[in-house]
Amino acid sequence: MSTELVTRKIMDKTAPNRSTAIVNGESSNVLNWDDVRFKWAFPLYKRMLANFWTPFEINMGKDVQQFPQLSKAEQDTFLKIIGLLALLDSIQTDYAAKMADYITDSSVNALMVILAQQEVVHNHSYSYVLSSLVPKGKQDEVFEYWKTEPKLIARNEFITNGYQEFAENPSVENMLKSIVYDVILEGLFFYSGFAFFYNLARNQKMVSTSTMINYINRDEQQHVGLFEKIFKEVLNENPEYNTPELKEFAIQTFRKAAELEIEWAEEIIGNKITGLTMKDVSNYIKFTANLRCNQMGFGKMLVFPDAPTTNPLRWIVAYQEVDLGKTDFFEQKSRQYTKASEANGFDDL
């Protein structure tokens, strides 16, 4: 039977400032960054702060001119992806807050608060893009897609059902399973959509929107890294939950998620978007599913053993990294392409 999670106390005079465990531990809840349990927490805190951005920084002028010039297929795909992202990031804000309630460690809890704030910024960015490009009526329609698109409904319920189980029955086991769903949401479900925007950018289309997507993508990579660390720390402190059943759950859940993502990609991308083939996108999704499963500690090539061992969309790596500052990456005349590595999520398996 899975151990029930206890919510963090607002203050505990009898407990030390440094937490005794990441969940179900003791902590005064006073945060002293010079005395925290996990050595990775402060460096991650600094990186998340350094990446602070808002949609207001991005000039949408050129995109406003270009959007009517996109093909009908490109316009439809553009709007459907924005609709999907808006729903998932809204869910993510709430999930991060619920997760934070059960994190004993005050430094990790602080990171979750920053993560939730970044998800709010992401959601604002979709409104910002849409308000720049389409009338209010169309914007409202896009924000309703999640209720009417059958494939969107299936994808969304897949995630929300996993989150809901944790919300209604907060236990160590359900927390671990919800983190698998989180990594799927932030590290797999967005990725065919990201590929679409980056493909537009490499064809000098909708560059401002793609820059904004790039900032979101960068945040999501850090969020996946944070949840990966939480997952591993919980298992390290509660090894009885590191079972073959959990591993099999993760593999099957990543596989189902990838299948849903491929179905979605077939609808929005298929073979109708110049520069992207469905074969490459499908292989990219399978490659990413294997990558994420391995990142969680379960091993390589377990979700799709026949998937490529190298990223089939190698060009995309250059569009997923922002050079250490907040310059407009896509409009730089000289780009410093970041080498693919485990840190940025696209090393060779």
Side-chain angles (χ1 to χ4, degrees):
M1 185 174 179
S2 185
T3 304
E4 184 178 351
L5 289 170
V6 178
T7 55
R8 184 186 64 261
K9 294 181 179 179
I10 293 177
M11 184 179 69
D12 188 348
K13 293 180 180 179
T14 65
N17 292 341
R18 181 190 292 214
S19 64
T20 60
I22 193 166
V23 296
N24 287 349
E26 295 182 352
S27 171
S28 69
N29 209 24
V30 173
L31 176 54
N32 176 4
W33 281 111
D34 291 325
D35 184 28
V36 295
R37 182 176 180 82
F38 305 108
K39 63 181 181 180
W40 48 262
F42 187 62
L44 181 54
Y45 167 73
K46 291 195 294 183
R47 288 199 300 274
M48 292 177 81
L49 284 187
N51 286 348
F52 178 79
W53 63 281
T54 73
F56 301 118
E57 300 172 23
I58 299 173
N59 186 331
M60 293 293 295
K62 290 184 179 178
D63 285 25
V64 171
Q65 295 174 359
Q66 287 186 329
F67 186 74
Q69 300 170 10
L70 298 181
S71 69
K72 179 66 165 55
E74 288 173 331
Q75 289 185 19
D76 289 346
T77 295
F78 187 103
L79 295 176
K80 285 184 177 181
I81 294 173
I82 291 290
L84 164 72
L85 295 175
L87 179 277
L88 291 180
D89 274 344
S90 296
I91 292 171
Q92 196 62 7
T93 304
D94 195 34
Y95 168 71
K98 286 181 168 57
M99 172 70 77
D101 284 341
Y102 299 100
I103 300 291
T104 307
D105 186 273
S106 56
S107 64
V108 180
N109 178 61
L111 294 175
M112 294 297 294
V113 172
I114 297 173
L115 183 152
Q117 183 270 342
Q118 290 179 338
E119 297 296 353
V120 173
V121 172
H122 297 174
N123 225 56
H124 174 210
S125 70
Y126 309 133
S127 300
Y128 182 82
V129 168
L130 289 175
S131 65
S132 301
L133 301 179
V134 297
K136 180 63 165 56
K138 188 64 176 179
Q139 180 181 348
D140 293 342
E141 181 184 329
V142 170
F143 271 90
E144 293 291 311
Y145 278 163
W146 65 278
K147 296 180 181 178
T148 58
E149 291 281 335
K151 287 186 171 60
L152 274 185
I153 292 171
R155 287 162 48 90
N156 297 339
E157 289 182 349
F158 179 75
I159 292 292
T160 54
N161 290 345
Y163 280 178
Q164 195 65 34
E165 184 65 25
F166 165 68
E168 294 178 357
N169 302 288
S171 64
V172 174
E173 181 181 8
N174 285 341
M175 171 182 273
L176 291 168
K177 288 182 176 180
S178 76
I179 293 175
V180 173
Y181 284 107
D182 173 272
V183 171
I184 287 168
L185 188 155
E186 302 202 80
L188 179 63
F189 262 12
F190 291 165
Y191 275 57
S192 64
F194 288 162
F196 168 77
F197 288 114
Y198 295 146
N199 182 63
L200 287 180
R202 71 172 177 156
N203 289 288
Q204 298 302 308
K205 297 177 181 179
M206 309 304 289
V207 167
S208 295
T209 299
S210 298
T211 300
M212 195 174 306
I213 292 295
N214 176 250
Y215 290 148
I216 293 170
N217 194 176
R218 179 184 60 184
D219 289 344
E220 304 294 12
Q221 287 182 8
Q222 289 193 346
H223 297 178
V224 169
L226 172 57
F227 275 104
E228 171 203 343
K229 287 178 170 60
I230 293 173
F231 186 84
K232 290 177 178 177
E233 295 293 356
V234 172
L235 286 180
N236 182 53
E237 296 179 1
N238 303 271
E240 66 272 21
Y241 292 99
N242 197 357
T243 63
E245 289 77 16
L246 179 64
K247 180 177 181 179
E248 185 61 23
F249 166 81
I251 293 170
Q252 294 300 328
T253 305
F254 274 110
R255 183 174 297 137
K256 177 61 176 176
E259 290 168 353
L260 288 169
E261 181 70 6
I262 290 169
E263 287 180 10
W264 170 245
E266 285 174 344
E267 178 171 316
I268 61 170
I269 294 175
N271 289 308
K272 59 188 177 183
I273 304 298
T274 302
L276 288 175
T277 68
M278 194 56 222
K279 179 181 178 181
D280 284 346
V281 172
S282 177
N283 282 333
Y284 173 61
I285 293 166
K286 292 179 179 179
F287 166 81
T288 306
N290 281 340
L291 183 80
R292 296 308 183 202
C293 190
N294 183 50
Q295 189 176 349
M296 298 291 283
F298 294 113
K300 300 180 179 180
M301 304 300 293
L302 294 180
V303 184
F304 295 100
D306 59 343
T309 56
T310 58
N311 182 7
L313 298 179
R314 297 293 294 182
W315 58 267
I316 210 170
V317 178
Y319 290 87
Q320 288 179 314
E321 298 298 329
V322 176
D323 285 337
L324 301 182
K326 292 190 290 184
T327 55
D328 188 338
F329 179 82
F330 298 105
E331 298 204 356
Q332 293 175 8
K333 292 182 180 179
S334 175
R335 294 177 181 151
Q336 296 180 0
Y337 288 0
T338 304
K339 182 179 179 182
S341 67
E342 185 175 359
N344 65 31
F346 287 91
D347 60 318
D348 293 355
L349 286 170

